[in-house]
Amino acid sequence: MLDESLLDAPEALARADTRGLLRAAAESGARIRTAARHAAEAGIGDLKPDGRPRAVLIAGPGAAGSCTADFLGALSGGNCPVSLIAPTGVAPAPGALRWTLPGWAGPLDLLVIATPDGTEPGLPRLVEQAYRRGCAIVAVAPGQSPLTGAVAQARGLMVPLATTPYVSAPYATGGYGTDPYTRGPHAPGAGEAEGALGAAPASHGTPSVPQPVEPPGTAPDEMTGPALPGTLWALLTPLLLLVDRIGLVSAPPAALQQVADRLDQVAERCGPAIATYTNPAKTLATELAGALPLLWTEGPVAAAAGRRFAGLLAALAGRPALVAELPGALAAHGTLLSGAFAGGADPDDFFRDRVEEPEALRARIVLLHDEPVGPVSAVPTARELALAHDTAFSELEPAEGSPLESAAELLAITDFTAVYLALASADRT
């Protein structure tokens, strides 16, 4: 069940948001600006690569590694193989994880490590493997982490993870008022985030939201972990500047400035003070209440965003979702649309009293595409199939822009949606 009244009560949302999820979603643009400055200070802009690597190997814990690999692979367009080194271990805890280079990895390959933690014992060991094999090494991690020393010893490139300042005060609920995203002295991007990309345009400055205090007993990785919205851009930005230098993806500093601006714009549209009927993230959250989301995607960027969205729905809101790419999704999920999860399915007596019964879970299609619908698109067929099976559907299509901007908009809206579902669920803890 979703408490829809909470979505239009900014002060109540602030009290419920003990982990600072709304701020984390809103600060993504600031994270990009800060991360770009860190990348410039680390020397990424001064690199003079001899050419493209044979392969880019990406390692990191959980979603930090998988989402980074997913989006870099989607954005590279097949210019170079981008592969995830999946960890092994007896538990998902950082200390239990181990990474192993594939047997063919060597001097022609690039190892990228992305982690919001940096204390995983398995990552310095991976760095040692890569050094022995002659691989180039780049890492994005907290600057004072044990991984920093290992990368330095291996003569790799280390970029400190970008963070944004938190004010050591509980949520100032009055700060929401009618405009929670006003720039203040503590707003990310007001000073600390300006640098390699410059300040955000005055027309839509980096949003700020009331600042949370880490609740007692909350582990640090809950505040900065890979499931937290905003962390992904802190990891991705230096790597995008890196792959731009080696010719895999077009992501110069000017393009990342546009991405940061787009994220700021989406944060203004999806903020907690914006009413549900004009807020795309709140609207999608209410549409997914009591539904089994079928995330159908078209385009490589949308596919990566769909997988990220499904992961956030599970990690933050505790809700399942199924992801499939069009046109294969039409066959893969076709049976769901005609079975017990179908929108019109009700085999029992229509007139029986349902007041005391739990609401049945129904499938809802969410279409995500990263380009306008063209003549060879499967999106019109997906719409027709949904209508034919009396299945509700939602649709997310980013405004015109580069693939990077499309990725940013899809990520931002779905991040806010997952956060609102997490905060407004009646059974939340």
Side-chain angles (χ1 to χ4, degrees):
M1 294 291 293
L2 190 76
D3 183 0
E4 294 187 25
S5 63
L6 184 65
L7 294 179
D8 287 324
E11 293 82 3
L13 276 174
R15 290 191 294 271
D17 190 12
T18 58
R19 288 196 292 164
L21 297 175
L22 284 172
R23 174 185 166 86
E27 73 181 7
S28 296
R31 286 286 187 99
I32 287 181
R33 297 184 181 94
T34 307
R37 190 194 69 191
H38 289 179
E41 293 172 349
I44 283 183
D46 300 326
L47 293 177
K48 297 180 174 59
D50 295 331
R52 293 177 180 173
R54 177 178 59 180
V56 177
L57 303 170
I58 299 179
S66 60
C67 289
T68 299
D70 208 3
F71 277 97
L72 286 182
L75 292 166
S76 69
N79 290 330
C80 173
V82 178
S83 303
L84 173 69
I85 302 177
T88 59
V90 297
L97 298 178
R98 299 291 183 271
W99 290 263
T100 304
L101 286 175
W104 49 263
L108 299 178
D109 306 308
L110 169 64
L111 171 65
V112 170
I113 297 177
T115 172
D117 188 341
T119 63
E120 303 90 347
L123 289 178
R125 295 169 186 167
L126 178 65
V127 170
E128 184 180 349
Q129 293 178 44
Y131 179 68
R132 291 199 306 266
R133 302 271 195 94
C135 300
I137 303 169
V138 177
V140 182
Q144 302 302 318
S145 64
L147 182 62
T148 302
V151 173
Q153 291 179 1
R155 299 179 182 177
L157 179 64
M158 181 72 194
V159 181
L161 182 73
T163 58
T164 52
Y166 282 80
V167 177
S168 297
Y171 268 123
T173 56
Y176 275 107
T178 58
D179 184 11
Y181 287 155
T182 54
R183 181 186 292 274
H186 300 293
E192 190 264 345
E194 297 174 7
L197 296 182
S203 59
H204 49 273
T206 305
S208 68
V209 295
Q211 314 299 323
V213 166
E214 186 174 341
T218 300
D221 62 340
E222 286 189 279
M223 297 297 292
T224 59
L228 197 65
T231 304
L232 179 60
W233 285 110
L235 296 169
L236 267 179
T237 300
L239 302 180
L240 287 170
L241 292 167
L242 172 69
V243 295
D244 176 74
R245 294 295 297 171
I246 61 180
L248 295 187
V249 176
S250 178
L256 290 179
Q257 172 68 74
Q258 294 176 330
V259 172
D261 293 344
R262 178 72 69 93
L263 288 170
D264 290 346
Q265 293 167 3
V266 175
E268 290 175 355
R269 292 165 50 206
C270 297
I274 306 302
T276 298
Y277 67 91
T278 58
N279 187 319
K282 289 183 179 179
T283 298
L284 183 57
T286 59
E287 291 171 346
L288 294 182
L292 172 64
L294 305 181
L295 308 179
W296 291 2
T297 67
E298 186 171 72
V301 169
R307 290 186 286 269
R308 160 77 174 175
F309 188 26
L312 278 182
L313 287 174
L316 297 183
R319 293 171 179 264
L322 301 177
V323 190
E325 298 182 43
L326 292 171
L330 303 176
H333 294 167
T335 305
L336 284 170
L337 302 184
S338 57
F341 293 101
D346 191 1
D348 300 323
D349 181 11
F350 177 80
F351 295 101
R352 78 177 190 277
D353 185 4
R354 295 177 173 80
V355 173
E356 301 299 328
E357 297 181 8
E359 185 179 355
L361 190 67
R362 301 298 184 206
R364 185 181 189 95
I365 296 169
V366 181
L367 299 174
L368 295 89
H369 42 106
D370 49 36
E371 293 183 356
V373 176
V376 295
S377 172
V379 169
T381 305
R383 295 170 182 155
E384 294 172 3
L385 186 65
L387 292 173
H389 286 85
D390 195 21
T391 300
F393 71 93
S394 308
E395 191 166 342
L396 292 181
E397 178 185 354
E400 292 185 5
S402 67
L404 272 174
E405 291 176 271
S406 297
E409 184 165 339
L410 290 174
L411 279 173
I413 293 176
T414 53
D415 279 1
F416 272 103
T417 299
V419 170
Y420 285 128
L421 275 170
L423 298 181
S425 295
D427 56 350
R428 67 185 184 278
T429 58

